[in-house]
Amino acid sequence: MDKTRTNRSPLWRLSAEQEVEEELAFHLEMRVRQYLDEGLDEPEARRRALAGFGEPGELVTTCRQIARTRNRRFELLDAWQEWVTDFRYALRQFWRNPVFSALVVGILSLGLGANVAVFSLVDRLLLNPLDYPRPERLVTVWEEHASRSKRKNVVNPANFVLFREESETMQRMAGFVTIDATLSDDAESALRAKARVVTDGYFEILGVAPVIGRAFDESDYADGSARTVILSQHVWRGRFGARHDVIGQTLSVDDREATVVGVMPHSFGLDMGPEVRPYGNAPDIYMTLPVTPEWRTASGRWLMVVARLEDEASLDDAHAEMELLSERMGEVRQEYNAEWRAHLIPLDTHLNDAARPPLTALAVAVVLILLIVCVNVAGLLTARAATRSAEMLIRDALGAGRARLVRQLFVESLLMSAIALSLGLGLALAATPILEGLLPIELLSTATVRAQSVFPTRMLALSVTMLLVCTISFGILPGVIATRRLHHVRGDGRAGPEQYRLRFWLVFAEIVLAVLLLVGSGLTLQSFSRLLDVDPGFAHSGLVSFAVAPSRELSDQQLFTFYDDLLSQLANTAGVREAGAITHIPIASVGAATSYFPLDRAEPDAGTAPSAAIRVIRGSYFQTMRIPLLAGRSFDSSDRPDANLGAVVVNRQLADEHWPGDSALGKQLQVSWGEGGARQIVGVVSDVKHAGPASPVKNTIYFPHAQERERAMTVVLRSDEPIDAVMPRVRAVVSRIDPKLPLYDVKDMSAVLGGSVQKERVLALLIGIMAVAALTLAALGIYGMMAYAVITREREFGLRMALGASPSSIATLVLRQALVLLVAALSAGIAVSLLGGRFIESILFEVSASDALTYVAVSVLLALGCIGAAMLPAMRASRVAPTIALRQQ
Amino acid sequence: MPMSDGNELLRGTLDSLILKTLSHGRRHGYGVARWLEQTTKEVLAIEEGSLYPALYRLEKRGLLSSEWGTSELGRRAKFYRLTALGEKQLRAQTKRWEQFAGAVSQVLLAEA
C-alpha cells in the first residue's frame, strides 16, 4: 500500500464526485487541445473529444461508484493500519521497560486471577440452578414458633397431612426424615448407613428417576407390603459393585428384610437439613415412610417437607397460602399449634443459607482488590505518561492529535491487560482446586446437585468484561489527563499540578479501598479468634469417638450387658483412660429434642412448653468428656430400670432458667420422651454447645441408659496416645465381644472441633491475605506519589534551603503533604466502612461491625504504612542541594 | 489458460497494458491513453469509457496509487503510479501473456 495517499489527504480532500468530475474534465480538455493541435477547429475538436467518452453520464456514474467503494476500503485499511502501528508501538514500549511492565502485569494478573477464581467458585456453588427439572418451583416447608428464634423448625406429621390435603398452590408435597440404619447382607460386613425415609411423592416432586429399576409406587406404601429400598449411586457402586442384577436382591436393613427396587443417579441426593453441618451427608439409601391415619393425631415435630408448586401458582401465592394454612393449623388443633406458624422457603435459598454470606463476603473482598489494583496501575501509568511528555509533544506536532495519543496509551494498557488476563486465568485455574480444598464440605454439598456450570462461556465472558473494565478505567484516564493541554507541557517530563492532582485522588481512592479491606480483615480475624476461644463445654484433645449399633435382636438385658462389657473393657485397655457413651456426641451429630416442663410449676399451654435437647448417656460420660458436675451426682447403679421415678441430669442453663438462685436437685420434670412420666433431677452439669462453638447453648436433659434403653450409641474415649495407636486395640476389644459388630464413624474430636470453624478460618485467611496486599499497594501508591511530588518541587526545596530553611523542615513539608492525604482518605474510608458494616454482620461471630479495636488497629497500621512509605521521599527532599535546584532551568 | 468470454480477456489485457504503461513512470489518465495510442501506432485506441473504470478498479485493488499533481498545462491533474503490488502483478501477467501468445502463435502461425 502506497502510504502517500495524498489523494485523500486533508489538504486535497475531494469527494468521489468532485474527483471524477475534475479528472474527466481534465482529460476532455487535453483531448480538445490534441485535436486543435492536429488542425481541427474548435467545435469539431470538441465534438470529437466528447464522442470518445461514449455515454458520459454512465461513465461518470460508474467511476463514482468505484471511487466510493475504493475510498471506503482505503479508510478501513488506514484505520486498521493505525491500530497495527499502535500495537507495534505498544509492544516496543513494553519490552523497553521490562521492570515496569512486569510490575504492572504482575499486579494486574493477581487481581484478575483472584477475581476469576472466586467468581467461578461463587458461580458453581451459588448461581447454578439445581439439577432438578424446574428447580425454581421447589420449596421447603417449615414451622416456626413465635418465641423461639429457630426459623426452620421441622414439621409435625398432623400438620403435614393438613397442608397436603388443603394446599392448592402446591402440586405435591412429600415428607421425609433421615435416620441411621444398619445395612447388612450375607456377603459383607454391616454398614452403617444414612437412610432417608420418604413419603409418597418424594421422587416425583424432585423429578429425578432412578437410573435402574423404579421409584417407590403405591404398592410399596400399601399396608403390610414387603419393605423396599432404593440405593444411592455411591452405595450401589461401593457395596454392590454397580451390578445391574441388584434389583430384586434382598438385604437386611436394621435386621429386617428389604428388597432393592431401584438405584438413584449420581447427582441426586443431598443433605437438606435445617442446619447444614460439616458432617451432613447425602443419604445412602431410601425407604418408604407410609402416611398412616395415626399421623393426624400425632404430636412431635420431626418431618422435613419438600413440595413442588403448581405451574400456575407464584411464590407469592404460596407464601400467602402458608398464612392461611397457619391459621388452619390453629383451628384444627388449637392447643398443640398455638403460637406456631408455617412458612416456606424456596429450596435453592434454603440450601444456600450457609454458603451465601461467606461467599458473598469473599466476592466483595476480591472485587475491592481488583479496584485497588486498577487504581494502582492507573497511578503507575499516569506517572509513566508524564515522563513521556516530550514524545507526545512531538507526535502531536506531527499531527497525531489528542485522540490518537489517547488511543495509543489505551492500546498499551490493553496489551498489558490482555497479557495479565491470560496469566490471571492460568493462576485462577491453578488456584481453584486449592480454594475448593480449603473450603469445608458444607459449602460444597450443594455443588454436586447443581448443573455443571458452562465454565468456558460464562467465565470467558466474565473475564473479558473485567479486562475491558480494567483497561478502560486505567487505560483511558491517564491518557486523557496526560494529553490535556499539551502545549503546557514542559519538555523535561514534568506536567505540573494536573498530574499531581490526579495521582492524589487515585491514591486517595486506593487508601479508602484498602481501609475497607483492612476493616473487613480485622473483623473476620477477630470473629475467628473469638470462635476459637469459645469453650464448647468439653475438653476435646485426646478425645476419640466411634459409633456402634448392636443387633436389633438383642433383648434389653443383653443390650445393657453389652454396653457394660464394652465400656469396662475399653476402660481397661492400654492407652484408654476413661470411656463413656452417649446417643449423640456434640458437634458431629444432630441429636433429638423434645418438650418438657417443671412439675412444680403450672402446666404450660400446649405448644408453649419449653424444649430441651435429649441425650442418653452411659458409663462415665461426663468424666470422659471432662464436663464438670456442678451439683448432685451423675448416674450410677442406684438408677434402676424399674425405678418409679426416673432420674435425669440437666445442664446449668436449664437449672438456672427454672430455679434461679435455688438448687435444681430433687426437682421434678415432665418430659415427653420414652414412657413419659415424671423424672427427678439428680445432678446438674456444665453447659455444652451441641451444635458447635458458634451456636447457642440449648437446655439439655440427660437420661441414664439403664432407664432409657437405646440401641445405637456413640462411645467416647479419652486417651493419651494418638488415635491410630488406640483404635486397633479398641477394634480388638469390640470384636472380642461381638465379632460381627461393625464399628464406624471413628472421629478425633479435636479434628471435629477444628472442622467446625473451618469456614471462619478460611475466610479470615483469605481476606487477611487480601488486606495485606491492599496495604502494600496503598503504601506503594503513597510512595510513588510522594516521590513524584518531591521531584516536582525540587527547585522549590532548593530555593528554600538556599534561603535558610533546615533540611528537617523540608522533610516535614513533604510528610505533611502525605499526612493530609492520609487523614482525608482514612476518614473517608472509615466512614464508608461504618456505613457498610451492616452487610458484613452475617458472617461475624460476637464482633460488632463497628468494633472499635479493629478501627483503631486499622488506622494505626495504615498510618504507619503510609508515613513509612513517605519517609524515603521526604528524606531525599531534605538532601536536595540548593545549588542543584538553582542550576536547573 | 481458461478463457471465458471476450470481455474478460479484453479487460484483463487492458489492465496489463495500463500497468505496463505506468511502469515507465507516473502519468495521468490522458497520458496513459496517449502513450498507448502512440506506442501501438494507433492500432490500440482505448475508449475513455473503458479506460477510467479500469484505472479506478486498479487503484481500488491496490495495484495503482493516485495523487494530485500539476500537469504540463499547469493545471491540477490526477496522476497514477504503479505500486509494489502492481509491479508484481505486471510481472505475473506479462509471463502469462508470453505463454498464451506463444501457444496461440504456435498453432496459428505454424506451417500447414
Side-chain angles (χ1 to χ4, degrees):
Chain A
M1 270 289 108
D2 196 313
K3 290 200 171 55
T4 59
R5 264 196 295 286
T6 48
N7 192 23
R8 289 176 299 106
S9 75
L11 243 49
W12 303 97
R13 200 193 303 279
L14 293 179
S15 66
E17 289 76 13
Q18 284 176 296
E19 180 184 337
V20 172
E21 242 181 67
E22 199 165 320
E23 189 177 13
L24 293 178
F26 173 79
H27 187 114
L28 181 66
E29 190 174 324
M30 293 297 279
R31 273 287 185 218
V32 169
R33 275 181 204 275
Q34 179 194 336
Y35 290 141
L36 287 179
D37 283 347
E38 285 170 12
L40 294 172
D41 57 16
E42 178 143 350
E44 184 59 26
R46 209 157 263 282
R47 193 195 57 79
R48 276 241 269 175
L50 271 173
F53 276 77
E55 277 290 336
E58 213 180 283
L59 174 61
V60 168
T61 316
T62 314
C63 288
R64 272 196 207 156
Q65 263 173 352
I66 307 178
R68 266 190 235 118
T69 328
R70 175 206 65 186
N71 286 351
R72 266 201 299 270
R73 190 153 178 263
F74 284 172
E75 272 162 34
L76 281 172
L77 281 169
D78 249 8
W80 170 250
Q81 194 60 24
E82 280 188 7
W83 282 101
V84 168
T85 317
D86 282 344
F87 182 76
R88 284 217 206 104
Y89 195 77
L91 214 55
R92 261 209 310 275
Q93 286 295 333
F94 187 83
W95 287 122
R96 271 210 284 184
N97 306 280
V99 173
F100 180 79
S101 310
L103 186 67
V104 169
V105 167
I107 303 179
L108 262 182
S109 60
L110 284 175
L112 286 170
N115 271 269
V116 172
V118 168
F119 278 107
S120 73
L121 205 62
V122 169
D123 186 60
R124 262 194 70 203
L125 297 184
L126 289 185
L127 298 181
N128 275 337
L130 292 169
D131 205 3
Y132 302 126
R134 300 199 68 197
E136 69 281 0
R137 304 259 94 207
L138 293 172
V139 295
T140 53
V141 179
W142 308 92
E143 293 192 38
E144 151 179 61
H145 189 265
S147 69
R148 299 182 202 162
S149 56
K150 200 155 90 157
R151 265 215 95 209
K152 298 185 197 175
N153 204 322
V154 283
V155 175
N156 164 261
N159 291 339
F160 166 73
V161 172
L162 176 74
F163 297 154
R164 208 152 75 140
E165 284 174 0
E166 302 201 4
S167 168
E168 286 174 4
T169 60
M170 287 183 252
Q171 197 179 69
R172 208 150 174 196
M173 197 187 283
F176 62 95
V177 65
T178 311
I179 60 177
D180 290 332
T182 310
L183 215 63
S184 58
D185 53 28
D186 298 322
E188 297 183 39
S189 65
L191 168 74
R192 193 69 176 160
K194 287 222 172 333
R196 180 165 291 176
V197 279
V198 302
T199 65
D200 54 290
Y202 177 80
F203 297 105
E204 291 75 6
I205 289 172
L206 291 173
V208 183
V211 286
I212 49 175
R214 60 173 180 84
F216 296 133
D217 58 29
E218 276 182 28
S219 65
D220 298 306
Y221 287 95
D223 254 344
S225 66
R227 296 170 84 208
T228 50
V229 62
I230 294 180
L231 305 175
S232 68
Q233 179 84 191
H234 60 268
V235 161
W236 180 53
R237 284 183 190 279
R239 196 174 170 76
F240 295 92
R243 292 193 322 265
H244 282 254
D245 63 354
V246 71
I247 305 293
Q249 200 181 317
T250 55
L251 38 82
S252 117
V253 180
D254 274 353
D255 299 322
R256 292 208 290 265
E257 248 194 24
T259 315
V260 179
V261 296
V263 177
M264 293 309 289
H266 172 68
S267 60
F268 186 74
L270 66 158
D271 178 17
M272 295 204 227
E275 295 153 18
V276 183
R277 294 291 193 88
Y279 296 92
N281 290 319
D284 297 314
I285 58 173
Y286 299 85
M287 299 191 73
T288 56
L289 178 64
V291 179
T292 65
E294 285 84 48
W295 281 40
R296 284 177 197 278
T297 51
S299 55
R301 291 179 160 83
W302 47 269
L303 257 185
M304 292 216 277
V305 179
V306 67
R308 183 177 278 276
L309 295 177
E310 287 281 3
D311 289 335
E312 316 82 50
S314 76
L315 204 53
D316 290 329
D317 293 337
H319 280 304
E321 189 177 58
M322 290 319 297
E323 296 283 324
L324 286 172
L325 288 174
S326 299
E327 284 171 23
R328 282 289 294 144
M329 267 162 67
E331 282 170 32
V332 166
R333 286 213 317 188
Q334 211 260 328
E335 285 188 14
Y336 186 74
N337 288 322
E339 302 215 29
W340 285 91
R341 301 196 69 76
H343 67 109
L344 59 81
I345 300 177
L347 182 62
D348 206 336
T349 312
H350 160 62
L351 291 174
N352 277 339
D353 267 352
R356 202 179 289 118
L359 280 179
T360 315
L362 215 56
V364 167
V366 100
V367 167
L368 284 177
I369 278 280
L370 188 63
L371 285 175
I372 295 186
V373 160
C374 285
V375 168
N376 203 286
V377 169
L380 286 171
L381 288 177
T382 313
R384 278 252 308 136
T387 63
R388 292 164 61 183
S389 53
E391 162 206 332
M392 291 202 274
L393 262 179
I394 297 172
R395 294 185 70 191
D396 183 44
L398 287 177
R402 195 169 162 218
R404 188 77 204 281
L405 290 175
V406 171
R407 191 175 72 186
Q408 169 65 48
L409 292 171
F410 177 76
V411 170
E412 288 177 26
S413 309
L414 194 62
L415 176 66
M416 286 197 277
S417 301
I419 298 178
L421 186 63
S422 339
L423 285 177
L425 280 174
L427 271 170
L429 277 173
T432 304
I434 300 177
L435 264 180
E436 286 182 14
L438 285 176
L439 285 171
I441 293 182
E442 74 208 42
L443 293 189
L444 294 179
S445 66
T446 62
T448 54
V449 201
R450 291 193 180 273
Q452 283 307 308
S453 86
V454 194
F455 175 86
T457 37
R458 247 207 316 237
M459 274 303 110
L460 235 56
L462 174 70
S463 312
V464 170
T465 314
M466 281 201 294
L467 175 82
L468 286 175
V469 165
C470 288
T471 318
I472 292 175
S473 63
F474 68 72
I476 296 241
L477 188 60
V480 164
I481 300 289
T483 56
R484 217 195 288 203
R485 289 192 265 157
L486 272 174
H487 49 285
H488 280 182
V489 168
R490 292 170 14 209
D492 55 3
R494 296 167 206 170
E498 277 267 332
Q499 290 277 338
Y500 180 76
R501 225 177 301 140
L502 172 69
R503 299 204 72 187
F504 179 91
W505 286 112
L506 284 178
V507 181
F508 182 90
E510 256 189 288
I511 296 183
V512 168
L513 292 169
V515 168
L516 287 174
L517 268 175
L518 283 167
V519 167
S521 169
L523 291 175
T524 50
L525 263 174
Q526 283 214 56
S527 201
F528 177 60
S529 90
R530 299 262 170 102
L531 259 183
L532 283 182
D533 280 343
V534 168
D535 177 14
F538 59 93
H540 57 84
S541 68
L543 199 62
V544 174
S545 75
F546 64 90
V548 286
S551 161
R552 195 178 282 272
E553 283 150 26
L554 292 179
S555 71
D556 268 2
Q557 185 53 39
Q558 285 172 314
L559 203 57
F560 191 80
T561 328
F562 166 76
Y563 279 108
D564 225 8
D565 286 342
L566 182 62
L567 290 175
S568 56
Q569 285 195 37
L570 281 175
N572 285 332
T573 310
V576 178
R577 294 186 36 194
E578 293 121 344
I582 188 172
T583 40
H584 291 99
I585 47 167
I587 301 175
S589 56
V590 186
T594 192
S595 60
Y596 71 97
F597 65 91
L599 277 173
D600 61 356
R601 307 285 152 84
E603 187 171 336
D605 301 326
T608 61
S611 84
I614 304 294
R615 299 286 184 274
V616 177
I617 64 168
R618 183 68 189 270
S620 16
Y621 174 75
F622 294 125
Q623 287 103 298
T624 312
M625 299 286 279
R626 305 268 193 277
I627 298 173
L629 185 65
L630 300 173
R633 62 173 179 83
S634 179
F635 303 123
D636 55 33
S637 51
S638 67
D639 302 305
R640 298 164 62 78
D642 50 8
N644 277 347
L645 197 54
V648 290
V649 170
V650 299
N651 69 337
R652 184 221 301 259
Q653 186 172 283
L654 191 153
D656 285 345
E657 188 181 314
H658 296 291
W659 301 283
D662 191 12
S663 165
L665 298 179
K667 305 280 192 299
Q668 293 184 6
L669 297 174
Q670 174 85 353
V671 189
S672 332
W673 185 262
E675 312 265 321
R679 320 277 171 147
Q680 187 171 57
I681 299 177
V682 298
V684 178
V685 290
S686 183
D687 295 324
V688 169
K689 292 199 166 212
H690 296 295
S695 66
V697 175
K698 287 199 253 200
N699 288 352
T700 314
I701 302 176
Y702 297 93
F703 287 86
H705 193 235
Q707 293 176 346
E708 289 296 329
R709 213 53 59 82
E710 289 280 335
R711 197 167 54 87
M713 303 273 274
T714 303
V715 175
V716 287
L717 309 165
R718 185 154 305 266
S719 166
D720 294 325
E721 294 179 39
I723 188 173
D724 294 326
V726 167
M727 278 319 288
R729 297 182 215 141
V730 169
R731 285 182 206 274
V733 168
V734 173
S735 64
R736 262 206 307 275
I737 299 182
D738 182 349
K740 285 195 302 195
L741 188 65
L743 188 151
Y744 55 95
D745 272 357
V746 177
K747 293 198 172 71
D748 178 348
M749 286 310 284
S750 290
V752 167
L753 203 59
S756 70
V757 299
Q758 180 71 351
K759 189 168 60 178
E760 284 77 6
R761 177 186 290 123
V762 169
L763 210 57
L765 180 70
L766 290 175
I767 298 190
I769 292 178
M770 288 195 262
V772 167
L775 183 61
T776 314
L777 287 175
L780 278 175
I782 286 233
Y783 169 77
M785 197 189 82
M786 288 285 101
Y788 176 78
V790 162
I791 295 178
T792 323
R793 295 170 70 179
E794 255 184 347
R795 265 188 77 179
E796 174 196 338
F797 295 152
L799 208 59
R800 282 178 188 257
M801 293 231 271
L803 291 177
S806 68
S808 57
S809 70
I810 304 287
T812 319
L813 228 78
V814 176
L815 281 180
R816 212 183 309 153
Q817 247 187 323
L819 215 59
V820 164
L821 173 60
L822 177 68
V823 168
L826 191 57
S827 325
I830 290 181
V832 174
S833 299
L834 285 171
L835 281 174
R838 287 180 297 124
F839 298 109
I840 206 182
E841 261 165 7
S842 52
I843 60 166
L844 295 180
F845 176 74
E846 286 190 10
V847 178
S848 140
S850 47
D851 178 59
L853 175 63
T854 307
Y855 280 94
V856 166
V858 168
S859 307
V860 168
L861 205 61
L862 205 56
L864 284 176
C866 293
I867 302 272
M871 270 305 196
L872 198 57
M875 289 203 298
R876 273 185 41 194
S878 67
R879 289 204 213 108
V880 169
T883 46
I884 290 183
L886 291 174
R887 221 180 285 146
Q888 279 188 337
Q889 286 310 316
Chain B
M1 190 168 62
M3 230 140 1
S4 34
D5 57 299
N7 254 344
E8 282 291 326
L9 175 57
L10 240 58
R11 187 183 296 176
T13 318
L14 176 59
D15 283 354
S16 305
L17 292 174
I18 295 175
L19 289 178
K20 183 65 186 182
T21 310
L22 291 174
S23 72
H24 297 294
R26 72 168 203 172
R27 279 170 210 281
H28 46 65
Y30 175 75
V32 170
R34 270 320 270 161
W35 192 89
L36 280 173
E37 285 158 17
Q38 285 166 344
T39 312
T40 63
K41 301 198 177 35
E42 308 286 331
V43 172
L44 286 184
I46 319 289
E47 286 188 350
E48 284 76 357
S50 323
L51 174 67
Y52 278 97
L55 283 169
Y56 274 86
R57 276 193 208 98
L58 284 171
E59 190 188 3
K60 188 178 90 164
R61 283 167 58 193
L63 303 176
L64 303 179
S65 69
S66 67
E67 58 196 4
W68 291 100
T70 328
S71 69
E72 313 82 59
L73 291 183
R75 257 194 72 167
R76 190 169 77 162
K78 189 170 149 196
F79 286 84
Y80 293 90
R81 77 163 83 219
L82 208 55
T83 62
L85 192 61
E87 277 176 22
K88 211 165 90 165
Q89 180 78 337
L90 175 61
R91 277 197 297 274
Q93 281 186 345
T94 310
K95 191 153 166 220
R96 268 206 293 268
W97 173 260
E98 270 182 320
Q99 288 172 339
F100 172 68
V104 170
S105 300
Q106 229 177 2
V107 173
L108 285 184
L109 303 178
E111 296 297 330

